[in-house]
Amino acid sequence: MGGERQRGEGRASGKLILLGEHAVVYGVPALAVGISRGLEARAWRVAARAERSAAPDARPGLDVIGRHTSEDATLAAAYAALLAAGEPVAGDDLAVRVHGDLTPGVGLGFSAAAAVAIARAVESLVHGGAAVPAVQARAMAWERVFHGNPSGVDTAAALLGGCIRYTRAEGPRPFDPPACFELCVGFTGTAASTAAMVARVAELRNAEPARFEAELAEVGGLVAQAIAALERSELARLGALLDRNQGLLAGWGVSTDAIDVLCRTARAAGALGAKLSGSGGGGVVVALVGPGGDDGRAATRVLEAWRRLGFGGFRTAVGAGVAEAKE
Ligand code: MEV
């Protein structure tokens, strides 16, 4: 295997934002959860060019589920920024491969999970361990190439998993709800660029600053109430807060017909609340279906109702000691 030596490995979770996407860009808190779907990265040194075999594994550079830096300029720029952040790492003889079960471009935090997994693998290879500040600095450098002005919530969720409250000023604050709860994730079938959706919200902010400020404050209140509801296991209350946040996001122009249909269908099938999750404009919807431990009946009803309309989805439980259940 010409020249393969030590390896570094890293994993990171995908994420769902339960409340506060877009508002978080302007300093308001968001509530996010890590999910068990995620990405894994391997990093290793390859032999000098002359000794290299033709094997794909001997090719330096980054490959993210079949997209290689040699063929993708944005990916190459993001990878270069990640390697250059903090204590720079030379990439000439470095090979990194990413694989996993996270769908890209739909609001599940693919880009941040890739960044964190790669940063962990590179740090482990070079330093024998992956300190959080170093991983975070590398991941944020990557995210800035893809998203311009990321709030950091996706990176924090990918790094920490579990439930987090996040603000730009204070960073992540993990918390543990006393009981687990179940979510359904529905795919609209279309992707949207996070940067484009963030720009759309910025236009609205410029056009209607007073309204936007008032709604930002409202989102901050929704997030505080949602954390309190989770801490008291008041899931019906949490569902109502999700619905209100969806109403505000629709008013900011980031919902779509498919998102509206998925939300309405989920509520009609028994979900306690539903909204887009992530940047919107397509991507995924998250529906709160209830506490864990009811054998997934509520989740099954929601997923079946979506499937009848041609939308795919999966369910995931959040909280201590739960594993994702796929449909
Ligand atoms: C994207 O997952 C979340 C946004 O709020 C952008 C960000 O926080 O950087 C839309």
Side-chain angles (χ1 to χ4, degrees):
M1 265 292 282
E4 186 170 325
R5 291 184 278 273
Q6 356 137 223
R7 264 166 199 266
E9 289 179 354
R11 191 188 181 279
S13 311
K15 68 89 179 64
L16 286 164
I17 297 182
L18 290 190
L19 288 106
E21 53 273 273
H22 288 291
V24 69
V25 172
Y26 300 97
V28 168
L31 171 55
V33 297
I35 60 174
S36 57
R37 288 189 180 199
L39 295 175
E40 274 145 47
R42 288 182 295 134
W44 68 98
R45 298 283 181 197
V46 292
R49 188 172 293 275
E51 302 164 35
R52 252 179 241 150
S53 74
D57 260 16
R59 194 159 62 141
L62 168 68
D63 183 293
V64 181
I65 313 188
R67 272 171 75 207
H68 194 271
T69 43
S70 58
E71 295 126 25
D72 186 322
T74 311
L75 189 65
Y79 179 55
L82 182 148
L83 293 181
E87 222 174 287
V89 172
D92 302 1
D93 64 345
L94 186 64
V96 181
R97 302 290 178 263
V98 177
H99 62 99
D101 58 1
L102 209 53
T103 311
V106 296
L108 294 176
F110 183 94
S111 166
V116 169
I118 295 162
R120 281 184 168 143
V122 168
E123 284 289 317
S124 307
L125 177 72
V126 174
H127 295 125
V132 169
V135 170
Q136 195 160 24
R138 291 193 191 283
M140 283 302 281
W142 161 289
E143 283 287 85
R144 278 190 285 272
V145 173
F146 280 107
H147 302 312
N149 181 24
S151 68
V153 63
D154 291 10
T155 312
L159 257 167
L160 300 173
C163 289
I164 59 164
R165 173 194 186 270
Y166 180 88
T167 65
R168 285 192 102 132
E170 295 161 29
R173 198 187 75 203
F175 67 97
D176 280 324
C180 79
F181 55 100
E182 205 160 12
L183 303 168
C184 284
V185 177
F187 292 102
T188 61
T190 58
S193 140
T194 299
M197 290 299 113
V198 169
R200 178 174 296 185
V201 174
E203 274 170 31
L204 176 100
R205 180 188 185 227
N206 292 336
E208 296 186 58
R211 169 190 153 196
F212 192 69
E213 281 309 312
E215 293 184 351
L216 280 185
E218 184 177 349
V219 174
L222 297 179
V223 171
Q225 292 171 61
I227 292 170
L230 265 179
E231 281 169 346
R232 294 197 287 262
S233 298
E234 293 173 357
L235 295 186
R237 174 81 193 125
L238 179 62
L241 297 166
L242 260 59
D243 288 346
R244 175 60 191 151
N245 197 175
Q246 169 61 20
L248 292 168
L249 288 162
W252 295 352
V254 294
S255 197
T256 64
D257 290 347
I259 290 170
D260 294 344
V261 168
L262 280 161
C263 289
R264 252 197 329 269
T265 306
R267 290 180 200 121
L272 301 171
K275 61 181 274 295
L276 68 85
S277 182
S279 60
V284 292
V285 157
V286 61
L288 176 67
V289 288
D294 76 340
D295 300 327
R297 283 189 299 270
T300 303
R301 281 197 300 275
V302 169
L303 291 169
E304 274 176 11
W306 283 344
R307 193 179 302 125
R308 277 197 297 274
L309 297 177
F311 296 108
F314 65 96
R315 69 182 207 248
T316 188
V318 178
V322 294
E324 180 180 331
K326 288 176 201 164
E327 279 298 292

